């Protein structure tokens, strides 16, 4: 019977006797009073003015019935409901993030007090107490030891207060399977249940700390977070900024949560030796001397001699002792080597590891170089038979690695031009000019050249990768280059055409090497940088030079006047630039023969030989007279884009025009195809970008019909961002904690972390409603009132 009555009044039997009644859609109070009052007055007026014969008492009763029926309708429009509140208690979550990047494989030196505290963390979970040396353990091994330490019992302590979700992070976020509770005997098995422990292994080549914080917080969207525990060395090198991630995902979250940062490692910079860079030629001739310029940085070590090795395909070919710079400083050292075998080689320069180094992976750098067995074909054109012409011509003829053709412009028609490859005139077209690798102009009158020859020389540098050297002499024919295409190749901006001659200088001046010049391969007279600078200061000076306006944008000034200057600075004396696939150089004097004083040909031809080798590099890299293939760098890291450019000519040395060029990239016994697209307004030039997926040596190859393939080799290495800073970034971790109202601890204080995560519960209040307005009771009540009123009207003959 009770169940029937509950359903009759639309009550849920499970919630009977609980909750409260209320209207879900009530009218405003004033409006309700007005409507109810108006209905009462209306019904009263209607029944009082009705002409039927009925007593006033009967009229009042029918008015009451009519008003009650209207009140039932209003009551139903107010939508009465029965509401019961349910309160659900739910614990909040905590997040545990552990850094598993490769920087966590570093070992640190600690102060004695810190060292003793860390030693107490390093105990085997099931073994006797042990206190190993923390300096012999990696950062991640110390973290694993702390997480599994019985006396701290970090995971179980946190679980007493909150639900715990754990992740490891580096380049990506990875869930961690947390260990179960302490092992207990199984009643059905005499052996205790197996206990699991946390064991994090290093995996990530980079650290995206900000992304990890954001993704971990988003994994608990809709849940309340009591705190985020961040165990890391603080090195964040890619992705979202850590501070921005904390502000957006912790501080501005509703409700916010704190960051509990645990710093791993030593915040003080440790001892480290590093090779910052290696500069050397990308191509050379066999038996040519190659200079490797090695920049070494010292951090924390006393000045001493250490071993430096040069390895060719993993074989030591040169070794020398170098003196370290002062701590915190860097130093440039040189290694000279003559390759004896033709081929492509990977050269690695290794600095001897020292005791206590925080990072040893940065003690080496690799450099790719091609060694070819060929001669540099030089076309030497001189306006007059000056001393530079006489000595340089003879030196190149004697050089076994050079094949030279000389052309003296002012010689008689019957004069037999000298050289070991004799010519009688300047090449007339591209086919003839492209037989050479380098052109040297010494005080030349350019008005004698035709437009076709100018275009051939421009294509020789830009398309073929050839080199061109402009040397100015006392007849200074530089003004003859005005308004001709070849002026684009000058690394300097000439002065006005009217400034042609300069009076002799009574006192010699010694050219001054710029910082770029001191390390440039053209000017390496001595292997040691200090001795090289001293040697240049001792070289005989010049009595004449041609001033120019300034260096062209993009060029390098290697030598300048020591005191003569204009509004742009000291006058450039020697400048170089890369133009298209080739290179050009400018020398504002014709007195290099003076460097033979006291030294003979030693430094005179070392300068010219190195200049010719530098200018021929573009041709050596191309290795093909119709095709040049270059990349914007020689070495890349994974994640870098490789910009590949090709300059292609047809059989008549005209720009090759095709809708696209297919290029093959070979790496690790695999092969990929890349399409190079034409460059607008540059016929014969094609470009494309390639994103390496693997580390190692890559070879890009273009094969043309009836022509051997042209190739370019480049190296791809794994990123070294993790080892750029070996010390713990404590300042960043403290900022993250302060921003979020959290705390910072060092790893030896990790036992204090659970006390900062309080036991907080989230009360979830839900309301359960029963609709009453549509129950059978109100329908019957409304119908009964109307029926009663109708019966009275019928009996009193009011219908």
């Amino acid at each position: 019977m009770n169940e029937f009555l509950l359903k009759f009044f639309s009550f849920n039997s499970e919630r009977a006797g609980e909750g409260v009644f209320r209207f879900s859609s009530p009218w405003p109070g004033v409006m309700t009073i007005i409507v109810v009052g108006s209905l009462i007055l209306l019904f009263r007026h209607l029944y009082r003015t009705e002409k039927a014969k009925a007593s006033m008492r009967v009229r009042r009763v029918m008015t009451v019935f009519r008003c009650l029926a209207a009140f039932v309708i209003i009551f139903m429009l107010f939508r009465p409901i029965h509401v019961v509140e349910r309160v659900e208690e739910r614990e909040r979550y905590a997040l545990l993030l552990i850094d598993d990047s490769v920087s966590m494989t570093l070992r640190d030196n600690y102060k004695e007090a810190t060292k003793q505290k860390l030693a107490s963390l390093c105990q085997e979970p099931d073994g006797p107490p042990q206190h190993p040396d923390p300096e012999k353990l990696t950062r991640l091994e110390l973290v694993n030891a702390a997480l599994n330490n019985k006396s701290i019992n970090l995971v179980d302590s946190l679980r007493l207060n909150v639900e715990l979700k754990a992740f490891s992070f580096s380049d990506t976020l990875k869930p961690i399977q947390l260990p179960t509770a302490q092992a207990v005997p199984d009643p059905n098995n005499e052996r205790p249940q197996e206990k699991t422990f946390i064991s994090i292994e290093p995996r990530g080549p980079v650290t995206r700390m900000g992304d990890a914080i954001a993704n971990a917080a988003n994994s608990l969207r809709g849940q309340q977070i009591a705190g985020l525990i961040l165990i890391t060395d603080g090195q964040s090198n890619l992705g979202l900024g850590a501070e921005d991630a904390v502000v957006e995902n912790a501080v501005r979250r509703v409700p916010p949560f704190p960051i509990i940062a645990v710093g791993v490692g030593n915040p003080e910079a440790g001892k480290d030796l590093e090779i910052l860079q290696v500069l050397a030629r990308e191509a050379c001739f066999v038996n040519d001397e190659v200079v490797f310029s090695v920049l070494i940085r010292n951090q924390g070590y006393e000045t001493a001699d250490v071993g430096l090795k040069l390895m060719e395909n993993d074989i030591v070919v040169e070794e020398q002792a170098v003196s370290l710079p002062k701590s915190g400083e860097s130093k440039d050292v040189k290694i000279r080597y003559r390759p004896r075998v033709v081929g492509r080689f990977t050269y690695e320069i290794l600095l001897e590891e020292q005791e206590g180094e925080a990072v040893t992976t940065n003690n080496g750098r690799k450099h790719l170089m091609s060694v070819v067995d060929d001669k540099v074909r030089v076309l030497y054109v001189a306006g007059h038979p000056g001393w530079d012409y006489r000595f340089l011509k003879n030196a190149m003829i004697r050089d076994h690695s050079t094949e030279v053709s000389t052309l003296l412009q002012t010689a008689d028609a019957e004069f037999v031009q000298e050289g070991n490859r004799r010519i009688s005139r300047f090449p007339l077209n591209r086919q003839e000019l492209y037989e050479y690798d380098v052109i040297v102009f010494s005080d030349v009158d350019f008005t004698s050249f035709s437009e076709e020859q100018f275009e051939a020389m421009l294509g020789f540098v830009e398309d073929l990768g050839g080199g061109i050297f402009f040397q100015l002499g006392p007849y200074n024919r530089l003004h003859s280059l005005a308004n001709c295409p070849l002026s684009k190749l000058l690394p300097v901006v000439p002065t006005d055409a009217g400034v042609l001659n300069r009076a002799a200088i009574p006192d010699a001046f010694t050219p001054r090497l710029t910082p770029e010049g001191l390390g440039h391969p053209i000017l390496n007279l001595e292997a040691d940088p200090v001795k090289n600078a001293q040697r240049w200061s001792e070289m005989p000076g010049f009595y004449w030079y041609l001033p120019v306006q300034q260096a062209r944008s993009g060029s390098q000034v290697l030598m300048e006047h020591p005191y003569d200057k204009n509004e742009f600075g000291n006058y450039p004396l020697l400048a170089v630039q890369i133009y298209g696939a080739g290179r050009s150089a400018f020398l504002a004097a014709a007195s290099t023969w003076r460097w033979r004083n006291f030294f003979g040909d030693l430094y005179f031809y070392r300068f010219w030989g190195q200049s010719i080798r530098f200018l021929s590099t573009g041709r050596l890299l191309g290795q093909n007279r119709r095709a040049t293939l270059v990349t914007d760098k020689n070495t890349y890291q994974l994640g870098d884009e490789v910009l590949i450019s090709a300059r292609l000519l047809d059989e008549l040395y005209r720009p090759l025009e095709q809708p696209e060029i297919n290029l093959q990239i070979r790496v690790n016994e695999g092969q990929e195809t890349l399409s190079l697209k034409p460059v607008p307004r540059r016929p014969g030039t094609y470009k494309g970008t390639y994103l390496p997926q693997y580390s190692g040596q890559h070879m890009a190859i273009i094969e043309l019909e009836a022509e051997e393939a042209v190739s370019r080799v480049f190296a791809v290495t794994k990123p070294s961002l993790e080892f750029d800073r070996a010390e713990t970034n404590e300042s960043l971790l403290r900022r993250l904690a302060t921003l979020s109202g959290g705390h910072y601890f060092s790893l030896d204080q990790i036992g204090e972390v659970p006390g900062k995560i309080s036991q907080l519960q989230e009360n979830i209040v839900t309301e359960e409603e029963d609709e009453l307005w549509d129950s059978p009771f109100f329908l019957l009540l409304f119908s009964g009132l109307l029926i009663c009123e109708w019966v009275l009207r019928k009996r009193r003959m009011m219908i």
Side-chain angles (χ1 to χ4, degrees):
M1 183 64 179
N2 291 336
E3 184 71 22
F4 170 77
L5 291 176
L6 290 173
K7 289 184 177 181
F8 181 72
F9 289 99
S10 295
F11 276 103
N12 188 316
S13 60
E14 296 180 357
R15 295 190 285 270
E18 303 179 18
V20 296
F21 293 94
R22 68 172 181 229
F23 297 107
S24 62
S25 301
W27 295 351
V30 176
M31 178 180 175
T32 304
I33 293 173
I34 293 174
V35 171
V36 170
S38 299
L39 289 174
I40 293 174
L41 294 175
L42 175 63
F43 293 151
R44 181 182 177 188
H45 173 72
L46 291 176
Y47 279 106
R48 293 187 65 177
T49 57
E50 194 166 349
K51 296 181 178 181
K53 294 180 179 180
S55 65
M56 187 58 65
R57 180 178 179 183
V58 172
R59 292 175 184 269
R60 290 194 186 104
V61 172
M62 286 190 293
T63 301
V64 170
F65 281 133
R66 181 69 63 89
C67 288
L68 288 176
F71 294 163
V72 170
I73 295 297
I74 294 174
F75 188 82
M76 293 171 69
L77 291 176
F78 282 10
R79 298 179 65 89
I81 56 174
H82 177 237
V83 180
V84 177
E85 290 187 349
R86 301 292 187 189
V87 180
E88 178 185 355
E89 294 183 352
R90 186 169 57 184
E91 290 186 345
R92 293 209 293 183
Y93 286 85
L95 292 166
L96 175 63
L97 270 63
I98 303 171
D99 189 347
D100 65 355
S101 63
V102 293
S103 66
M104 296 291 284
T105 61
L106 297 177
R107 295 175 175 82
D108 299 274
N109 298 314
Y110 300 98
K111 295 179 179 179
E112 191 59 33
T114 304
K115 187 175 179 180
Q116 293 178 2
K117 292 179 182 178
L118 289 174
S120 64
L121 298 177
C122 307
Q123 298 181 12
E124 293 293 334
D126 290 325
Q130 296 181 1
H131 300 281
D133 185 358
E135 295 182 352
K136 295 182 179 180
L137 299 179
T138 66
R139 294 173 179 176
L140 202 51
E141 288 172 341
L142 287 173
V143 171
N144 285 331
L147 294 176
N148 294 304
N149 187 282
K150 290 181 179 179
S151 60
I152 297 176
N153 205 13
L154 180 69
V155 172
D156 288 342
S157 298
L158 290 171
R159 282 171 165 169
L160 292 175
N161 298 329
V162 291
E163 290 289 330
L164 187 63
K165 290 189 69 175
F167 300 89
S168 65
F169 72 93
S170 50
D171 53 344
T172 58
L173 194 67
K174 180 182 178 183
I176 297 175
Q177 184 65 41
L178 292 174
T180 58
Q182 298 290 334
V184 294
D186 186 348
N188 300 322
N189 192 335
E190 294 182 358
R191 293 186 305 171
Q193 293 177 342
E194 184 179 356
K195 181 184 176 181
T196 59
F197 303 98
I198 296 179
S199 179
I200 311 297
E201 298 293 333
R203 62 181 178 88
V206 294
T207 306
R208 299 177 181 269
M209 187 190 300
D211 293 338
I213 293 172
N215 293 335
N218 288 334
S219 71
L220 291 176
R221 184 173 297 173
Q223 306 289 340
Q224 291 198 34
I225 301 176
L228 186 149
I229 304 160
L230 187 65
I231 303 178
T232 176
D233 58 15
Q235 298 303 335
S236 181
N237 39 54
L238 280 182
L240 180 65
E243 292 176 85
D244 294 337
V246 168
V247 171
E248 292 297 327
N249 297 277
V251 177
R252 295 179 180 174
R253 189 181 177 108
V254 181
F257 63 85
I259 303 294
I260 313 296
V262 180
V264 184
N266 191 343
E268 298 179 0
K271 295 181 177 181
D272 185 40
L273 296 182
E274 180 181 5
I275 295 180
L276 296 175
Q277 69 177 15
V278 173
L279 298 177
R281 292 155 57 183
E282 297 181 46
C284 72
F285 293 99
V286 67
N287 294 320
D288 262 7
E289 185 177 65
V290 179
V291 179
F292 293 86
S293 179
V294 185
L295 187 61
I296 299 173
R297 184 178 68 89
N298 174 24
Q299 179 64 49
Y301 287 99
E302 298 292 334
T303 301
D305 290 343
V306 297
L308 188 66
K309 296 179 181 179
L310 173 65
M311 304 183 70
E312 182 183 72
N313 289 356
D314 299 328
I315 300 175
V316 178
V317 292
E318 288 289 337
E319 188 171 4
Q320 66 185 49
V322 297
S323 178
L324 290 177
K326 294 180 180 180
S327 178
E329 297 181 0
S330 57
K331 177 182 180 180
D332 186 43
V333 298
K334 300 287 193 297
I335 300 180
R336 293 182 181 270
Y337 174 64
R338 293 182 182 272
R340 308 295 181 184
V341 182
V342 176
R344 292 187 179 93
F345 297 97
T346 300
Y347 290 93
E348 184 172 13
I349 292 85
L350 292 175
L351 195 61
E352 182 181 357
E353 295 181 9
Q354 302 298 302
E355 184 177 356
E357 272 199 83
V359 182
T360 58
T361 55
N362 57 10
N363 285 38
R365 290 273 178 173
K366 294 184 179 182
H367 180 80
L368 295 179
M369 188 164 62
S370 297
V371 181
V372 299
D373 186 11
D374 202 353
K375 292 184 176 183
V376 181
R377 291 167 286 273
V378 180
L379 175 58
Y380 185 23
V381 184
H384 297 270
W387 290 110
D388 267 12
Y389 166 75
R390 297 178 185 182
F391 292 123
L392 180 56
K393 171 202 60 173
N394 293 335
M396 286 193 290
I397 290 174
R398 292 193 302 266
D399 188 348
H400 71 280
S401 64
T402 302
E403 183 179 86
V404 60
S405 299
T406 64
L407 188 64
L408 187 60
Q409 279 188 318
T410 56
D412 296 333
E414 296 79 14
F415 178 75
V416 178
Q417 302 287 352
E418 299 178 82
N420 43 31
R421 183 183 180 183
R422 294 183 178 180
I423 58 174
S424 59
R425 57 172 173 76
F426 193 86
L428 298 178
N429 50 45
R430 291 174 183 257
Q431 288 90 330
E432 293 181 4
L433 187 63
Y434 284 14
E435 293 296 321
Y436 296 94
D437 301 314
V438 177
I439 306 173
V440 178
F441 289 122
S442 180
D443 201 9
V444 170
D445 181 5
F446 291 100
T447 59
S448 61
F449 295 104
S450 66
E451 289 296 327
E452 185 178 1
Q453 288 173 319
F454 279 133
E455 292 298 330
M457 285 185 275
L458 190 63
F460 171 76
V461 177
E462 183 177 16
D463 300 333
L464 195 67
I468 193 166
F469 197 111
F470 298 95
Q471 183 188 26
L472 275 297
Y475 295 92
N476 45 78
R477 306 287 187 176
L478 191 59
H479 67 286
S480 62
L481 277 177
N483 301 319
C484 85
L486 204 60
S487 61
K488 300 177 183 177
L489 302 181
L490 279 172
V492 296
V493 179
T495 54
D496 294 337
V499 183
L500 299 178
N501 291 292
R502 185 178 180 90
I505 301 172
D507 298 318
F509 67 89
T510 301
R512 182 172 64 192
L513 271 63
T514 65
E516 293 82 3
L518 283 170
H520 200 276
I522 287 181
L523 300 179
N524 280 331
L525 300 184
E526 302 287 351
D528 183 80
V530 177
K531 292 182 179 179
N532 187 53
Q534 182 180 356
R535 176 62 64 202
W536 275 109
S537 67
E538 298 169 350
M539 297 290 281
F542 296 157
Y543 285 91
W544 180 92
Y545 80 99
L546 177 73
V548 295
Q549 183 176 340
Q550 61 178 324
R552 195 180 297 275
S553 176
S555 66
Q556 279 186 306
V557 176
L558 309 183
M559 190 183 287
E560 63 186 10
H561 199 283
Y563 47 82
D564 279 0
K565 62 177 66 176
N566 60 9
E567 65 271 22
F568 300 105
N570 293 65
Y571 286 114
L573 298 179
L574 176 64
V576 297
Q577 74 171 352
I578 295 177
Y579 189 88
R583 306 178 182 196
S584 65
F586 166 84
L587 179 62
S591 307
T592 60
W593 60 271
R594 295 179 54 80
W595 294 340
R596 300 182 73 255
N597 191 25
F598 305 121
F599 305 109
D601 278 341
L602 177 60
Y603 297 124
F604 168 77
Y605 193 61
R606 180 169 289 179
F607 164 79
W608 280 105
Q610 290 174 165
S611 298
I612 291 171
R613 296 297 189 272
F614 171 77
L615 294 173
S616 67
T617 301
R619 290 286 290 113
L620 295 181
L621 292 176
Q623 299 183 17
N624 193 302
R625 298 195 182 276
R626 285 179 45 208
T628 302
L629 183 62
V630 296
T631 56
D632 55 330
K633 292 190 294 185
N634 196 27
T635 304
Y636 302 84
Q637 291 185 347
L638 280 175
D640 292 344
E641 274 194 345
V642 181
L643 178 61
I644 303 176
S645 301
R647 181 70 176 173
L648 306 176
L649 308 176
D650 61 15
E651 294 83 355
L652 299 178
Y653 294 94
R654 297 172 304 190
L656 183 66
E657 298 188 35
Q658 292 186 7
E660 65 177 23
I661 295 293
N662 288 329
L663 175 140
Q664 305 298 323
I665 297 179
R666 298 174 184 173
V667 56
N668 298 337
E669 299 181 357
Q671 182 169 300
E672 298 181 54
T673 300
L674 178 69
S675 293
L676 303 183
K677 302 297 182 182
V679 177
R681 295 182 297 278
R682 291 193 62 187
T685 302
Y686 301 83
K687 286 189 177 182
T689 56
Y690 170 67
L691 185 63
Q693 302 297 320
Y694 307 96
S695 60
Q697 185 169 293
H698 292 58
M699 178 182 289
I701 302 174
I702 294 179
E703 295 181 352
L704 301 175
E705 294 182 5
E707 192 78 26
E708 63 178 281
V710 60
S711 63
R712 168 70 167 164
V713 177
F714 57 92
V716 179
T717 61
K718 294 181 179 179
S720 59
L721 295 174
E722 287 294 294
F723 303 117
D724 284 348
R725 291 185 58 185
E727 67 273 16
T728 303
N729 195 349
E730 181 179 320
S731 60
L732 172 62
L733 297 179
R734 288 188 178 276
R735 289 198 303 272
L736 299 184
T738 303
L739 272 174
S740 60
H743 304 271
Y744 172 81
F745 299 101
S746 57
L747 184 61
D748 57 284
Q749 300 171 319
I750 196 170
E752 301 179 32
V753 170
K756 301 301 179 182
I757 304 293
S758 58
Q759 184 176 9
L760 299 173
Q761 290 184 332
E762 178 185 6
N763 294 329
I764 305 298
V765 179
T766 58
E767 292 185 345
E768 298 176 353
E769 300 178 353
D770 293 326
E771 297 278 1
L772 302 181
W773 66 272
D774 58 349
S775 66
F777 168 74
F778 289 108
L779 178 61
L780 292 177
L781 177 61
F782 176 74
S783 302
L785 291 172
L786 291 181
I787 291 173
C788 290
E789 192 261 353
W790 181 81
V791 170
L792 286 175
R793 291 176 64 84
K794 182 73 174 175
R795 294 186 62 180
R796 294 295 183 266
M797 305 296 292
M798 298 178 69
I799 297 179

